[in-house]
Amino acid sequence: MGALTDIQIKQWIKSAAEVAKADGGGLTFTLSKAGRAAWVLRYRFGGKRREKTLGQYPDISLAEARKLALEDRARVQQGVDVAAEKQKARREASTAWTVRQLAEDYLQKSIGRLEESTLKGHRQRLRDYVYPVLGNIPADEVRPIDLIKIIERASKKSLHVAKLVLGIQKAIFAHGMGRHIIDADPAFQLRSNAVLGPRPVARTRVMLSEAELKIIMPLLPKMGIQNALMAKILLCTAVRIGELVGAKWENVDLEQRVWFIPPTDIKGKKGRARNGEDVRGFSIPLSEPVVGWFHDLKDLAFGSAYVLPIRSRKKAIGDTHMEPVTLNAAFNNFWKTHLSEGTQRFTPHDLRSTARSHLSRLGVDLLIAERCLNHSLGGLVDIYDQHDYLQERRVALNILADFVVNCNGA
């Protein structure tokens, strides 16, 4: 090699004439009628003439083309058909699964196995964190550091979100290994402690005192009618926010004063106990004030199947319920605007711990108070005591509602 010069190449390109000039050692500069300049390596393999396009000029300079040609000629001498190798790599690249395709295949095959709410969360985290960075990247080219960067970005939102993002990444790449789509799992060795550090000290649940409730309750209407009604129902039923926002009117019997929460709406998977929860479905007796608050919510629902529908976007998304984050945001703004002095900062879930604490303070038996929260005491009690304590819980929640009303929350 060494017959060509950069000056000659530039002159040929300027003249726009079709040429094919050898540099030596099989390296050839070609210029098509369309003006496409490229480097080609010509060689013999198995007695047949072969050629491989090394790349275009000037993207690949004369010096770089000579280096590539030398490397490929050495491999040819070692018995490698470099042109066939390139064609194979191109075919594999055209059929390679992207991260998005792998993730969508995992989600599709998880329908019926995972709860719809879980799948919805997976889709959201993939959309917000994974797809923007890796969506179009071949799944077998992803490295652990690529996943770590995504997890670290998610941690700026919260450590909880970061762990959920790590979880879906581990799930989709394990799925890829199971389907033999990828040869190595880049998420296999990732550990949340190594990426995110030790788990932070758990936040202590807030128990709002009677004095604090007497400050808070009269101000609740400043949150808006619907949010205020939700807050009072949460406090007087001790349910989780997700159980309330997902409630349907078909499960709320205002005449019999009973609200049934189906298994799919209770934290944990259907048919599987988690954190001491009873996932067989749970009936909540409704006190008189709570029945009245539900009637008020029904007037605001405008015929929706949900107790707490999203009305503003009904035409766009159909009839569905509001998201828990909506009430979380309302509580946060309410506290900062009206309660920054005189009360502890609290969340919707803190109303559940507040209700549990006041049930004990009001003299409700431990077992009944735990059943009001759909908790199980476990052990032999859980095995042999199948009584639902509905009437006992009705008495307890009536006492709790009277206490809340006396805090000026009527």
Side-chain angles (χ1 to χ4, degrees), residues 1 4-6 9 23 27 39 54 57-71:
M1 290 183 285
L4 303 181
T5 66
D6 284 312
I9 293 171
D23 184 58
L27 178 62
W39 296 105
L54 301 179
Y57 179 92
D59 296 335
I60 296 179
S61 67
L62 175 57
E64 290 171 327
R66 287 169 175 167
K67 180 180 178 182
L68 292 174
L70 282 172
E71 292 173 351

Side-chain angles (χ1 to χ4, degrees), residues 28-332:
T28 303
F29 173 79
T30 64
L31 184 65
S32 69
K33 290 181 180 181
R36 181 177 179 270
W39 296 105
V40 174
L41 175 66
R42 291 170 175 169
Y43 63 97
R44 299 186 71 84
F45 189 87
K48 296 182 180 180
R49 295 181 63 181
R50 304 282 289 159
E51 66 176 41
K52 172 187 176 182
T53 301
L54 301 179
Q56 295 186 30
Y57 179 92
D59 296 335
I60 296 179
S61 67
L62 175 57
E64 290 171 327
R66 287 169 175 167
K67 180 180 178 182
L68 292 174
L70 282 172
E71 292 173 351
D72 276 348
R73 287 192 66 82
R75 300 190 71 228
V76 170
Q77 292 172 11
Q78 294 169 3
V80 177
D81 187 348
V82 292
E85 183 182 60
K86 181 179 179 180
Q87 292 170 358
K88 179 182 178 183
R90 186 183 293 114
R91 288 194 302 270
E92 290 177 347
S94 67
T95 59
W97 285 58
T98 64
V99 171
R100 184 189 298 271
Q101 290 172 323
L102 180 60
E104 293 298 326
D105 187 68
Y106 166 75
L107 294 174
Q108 180 64 33
K109 288 179 170 57
S110 297
I111 295 175
R113 180 174 61 84
L114 298 179
E115 298 288 348
E116 181 55 38
S117 60
T118 301
L119 292 173
K120 181 179 179 181
H122 286 340
R123 292 188 185 98
Q124 178 181 346
R125 286 179 281 278
L126 287 167
R127 181 196 67 211
D128 294 346
Y129 296 99
V130 179
Y131 289 165
V133 181
L134 299 176
N136 297 323
I137 302 298
D140 58 2
E141 293 183 10
V142 176
R143 301 170 301 160
I145 189 61
D146 299 323
L147 305 183
I148 290 173
K149 289 179 180 178
I150 292 174
I151 297 166
E152 289 175 340
R153 175 171 167 262
S155 70
K156 295 178 180 179
K157 178 77 172 180
S158 75
L159 290 179
H160 178 65
V161 170
K163 289 181 179 180
L164 293 174
V165 171
L166 171 59
I168 184 58
Q169 290 182 146
K170 292 177 78 70
I172 62 175
F173 285 105
H175 175 70
M177 288 291 290
R179 289 207 57 187
H180 296 275
I181 293 170
I182 56 177
D183 295 324
D185 183 351
F188 179 70
Q189 295 293 342
L190 296 187
R191 299 291 182 269
S192 61
N193 287 348
V195 178
L196 301 171
R199 178 180 297 180
V201 177
R203 173 180 175 271
T204 302
R205 281 291 163 204
V206 171
M207 194 283 279
L208 297 169
S209 67
E210 181 176 355
E212 289 175 306
L213 289 176
K214 287 182 176 180
I215 296 173
I216 294 167
M217 300 305 292
L219 294 175
L220 283 179
K222 294 183 180 295
M223 296 176 63
I225 296 174
Q226 181 174 265
N227 290 336
L229 291 170
M230 291 172 64
K232 290 189 282 189
I233 291 174
L234 286 172
L235 186 56
C236 290
T237 59
V239 300
R240 289 187 174 87
I241 181 175
E243 294 164 351
L244 178 57
V245 299
K248 291 185 175 181
W249 287 114
E250 65 185 30
N251 294 321
V252 181
D253 190 335
L254 296 178
E255 291 186 3
Q256 297 297 319
R257 298 188 175 187
V258 174
W259 167 23
F260 177 71
I261 302 179
T264 52
D265 290 350
I266 296 174
K267 183 179 180 181
K269 297 180 181 179
K270 182 177 179 181
R272 177 183 174 187
R274 181 181 179 184
N275 296 331
E277 297 294 337
D278 182 344
V279 293
R280 295 169 294 182
F282 189 57
S283 294
I284 300 175
L286 304 179
S287 61
E288 184 175 350
V290 173
V291 170
W293 298 329
F294 267 112
H295 274 298
D296 292 340
L297 285 176
K298 197 161 193 176
D299 292 338
L300 297 172
F302 298 105
S304 171
Y306 292 94
V307 173
L308 297 162
I310 298 179
R311 296 187 299 275
S312 60
R313 293 183 291 160
K314 186 174 181 179
K315 289 184 179 180
I317 62 178
D319 188 19
T320 188
H321 61 79
M322 66 180 294
E323 294 294 332
V325 293
T326 303
L327 190 58
N328 279 314
F331 267 56
N332 185 50

Side-chain angles (χ1 to χ4, degrees), residues 365-378:
D365 179 78
L366 171 65
L367 177 59
I368 305 305
E370 286 294 287
R371 289 303 298 148
C372 283
L373 273 69
N374 194 19
H375 282 170
S376 168
L377 295 183

